[in-house]
Amino acid sequence: LLLVALWSMENSFGPKWGFAIQRSDILAELSQRVEVPGMVIHLPASLAQSKVKALVEDHQFNLDYLLGVLDLPRDTVLSNPIHSFVYSSPNHKGRWMGGKNTMVAKPWLNEIHIHGANFPHTVLPHELVHVLAGQFGSRLLGVSAQYEVGVNLALVEGLAEALTPPTTDVDLDHYAKAMRTLGLAPDLRTLLSPTGFWQQSPRRAYTI
């Protein structure tokens, strides 16, 4: 009887209390759904239409740009649309998906989870690269991985960083050169080792 009561309580109050949240709960929260070639974008119902339009165009632009850079077969990608879940803020994302301050991609599910309605969205192309790279990643997770499970984070994040269009006059090449000049750059051989990426400052590791 206790187990039945706990199970009932979890299913009844789980989403309200912030646990046991199902995919259907997220879809209900991000109820504005916009479909464009190659993408399905889920947005908060309260988001102004002007921002919706800007975000949708931002998604379309970045998808088209990255398909060209990666030289992927467009028909294959467009026939299996990427789902983008856009939360209004870090707190909003933390409440419904977790990872409050971290935007994520799930290549194995062909989806990304980002927050913020700013335009252009600075992290959107980075997360799209992760999903698109699933076309040539491991069969299990869709990322660079030895024996399917030994994820090489330096290659995974390096590819996404390298293909993200610069948003300022200073690009990754300039940052990397400055870090090397100042003696702050991590050794690339160390970064490419199984645990090397985790041992460095994230900003330095991502840049190099």
Side-chain angles (χ1 to χ4, degrees):
L1 288 175
L2 179 60
L3 287 175
V4 171
L6 289 172
W7 179 83
S8 300
M9 185 173 66
E10 178 176 331
N11 282 275
S12 300
F13 298 103
K16 182 179 179 180
W17 291 347
F19 66 91
I21 293 174
Q22 304 296 321
R23 190 179 188 84
S24 57
D25 299 316
I26 295 177
L27 291 172
E29 177 67 16
L30 304 178
S31 57
Q32 283 203 73
R33 175 187 171 108
V34 181
E35 295 188 37
V36 294
M39 297 212 74
V40 179
I41 307 164
H42 307 269
L43 305 129
S46 59
L47 196 62
Q49 287 305 302
S50 59
K51 290 190 174 183
V52 171
K53 183 176 183 295
L55 278 169
V56 169
E57 290 179 353
D58 201 11
H59 278 73
Q60 290 179 290
F61 171 81
N62 279 290
L63 179 62
D64 186 69
Y65 166 77
L66 293 170
L67 284 174
V69 172
L70 288 166
D71 195 26
L72 293 172
R74 289 177 177 267
D75 291 344
T76 302
V77 175
L78 297 181
S79 64
N80 184 25
I82 298 169
H83 283 254
S84 175
F85 296 84
V86 184
Y87 304 82
S88 59
S89 67
N91 286 334
H92 187 215
K93 180 171 171 292
R95 164 71 175 81
W96 289 98
M97 187 263 172
K100 176 180 175 181
N101 294 313
T102 305
M103 304 191 213
V104 299
K106 298 181 178 182
W108 59 94
L109 294 178
N110 207 38
E111 66 186 38
I112 64 175
H113 293 258
I114 60 177
H115 56 254
N118 50 306
F119 173 82
H121 198 289
T122 56
V123 183
L124 170 62
H126 179 105
E127 302 306 337
L128 283 178
V129 171
H130 285 318
V131 174
L132 291 171
Q135 296 288 322
F136 49 85
S138 66
R139 290 169 293 179
L140 181 62
L141 298 175
V143 298
S144 176
Q146 189 174 28
Y147 307 119
E148 299 296 322
V149 293
V151 177
N152 189 321
L153 204 58
L155 290 179
V156 173
E157 297 299 346
L159 179 67
E161 283 291 289
L163 298 187
T164 297
T167 56
T168 66
D169 293 336
V170 182
D171 60 17
L172 283 175
D173 292 335
H174 289 89
Y175 282 122
K177 182 177 181 180
M179 288 168 61
R180 287 190 169 124
T181 300
L182 294 170
L184 298 174
D187 183 76
L188 185 57
R189 288 165 296 188
T190 301
L191 283 184
L192 288 168
S193 67
T195 60
F197 194 89
W198 299 101
Q199 297 172 3
Q200 303 294 329
S201 159
R203 286 184 180 274
R204 296 181 188 181
Y206 273 72
T207 299
I208 292 297

